[in-house]
Amino acid sequence: MHGINLIQNLGVMFYTCCICSTQPETRDHLMLSCPYAEVLWSESRRRFRDTVPVFTNWPELVLWTSSSSNAAPSHLRMMVVQALFYNIWKQRKNMLHNQALVPPTATFREIDRHIISSIYAFRKRKKFTKLMARWLI
């Protein structure tokens, strides 16, 4: 049992973030405040016409993700959060197993392609019809 679950469940063992090597690896640090995650969040913020706050804790993120606006509907917010988390976790595993880290700008290009592909795949569903314009502009 490694990583975040071990840290949170046992509360005894503290691992340093394998991506930045500066802070203990917690869920909030890894997904919200690690410099690697901050670059990804910054790139995501540029895509939304709506103001996306800098999240300092998990409840703030959950509140933002579950809310909605015309510029950033909740399903687009959820897609972005899921893609960010998946890719951050993937880079964490890549560091642990291969001691290699893909630059965050390259990771964001992958996230961007994933979101565009997902929107395109669901484009005929009512709630997805205007998402492409909201994400690309």
Side-chain angles (χ1 to χ4, degrees), residues 56-83:
T56 58
N57 59 49
W58 204 256
E60 289 177 359
L61 173 68
V62 170
L63 181 63
W64 178 80
T65 304
S66 61
S67 62
S68 190
S69 70
N70 285 336
S74 62
H75 42 280
L76 180 58
R77 293 176 186 208
M78 184 61 76
M79 287 174 63
V80 171
V81 169
Q82 289 171 343

Side-chain angles (χ1 to χ4, degrees), residues 1-15 25-27 89 92:
M1 188 171 173
H2 285 283
I4 293 174
N5 286 338
L6 180 64
I7 293 167
Q8 291 175 341
N9 291 336
L10 298 178
V12 183
M13 300 188 72
F14 291 97
Y15 293 104
E25 186 178 85
T26 64
R27 175 192 64 195
W89 192 255
R92 177 191 178 274

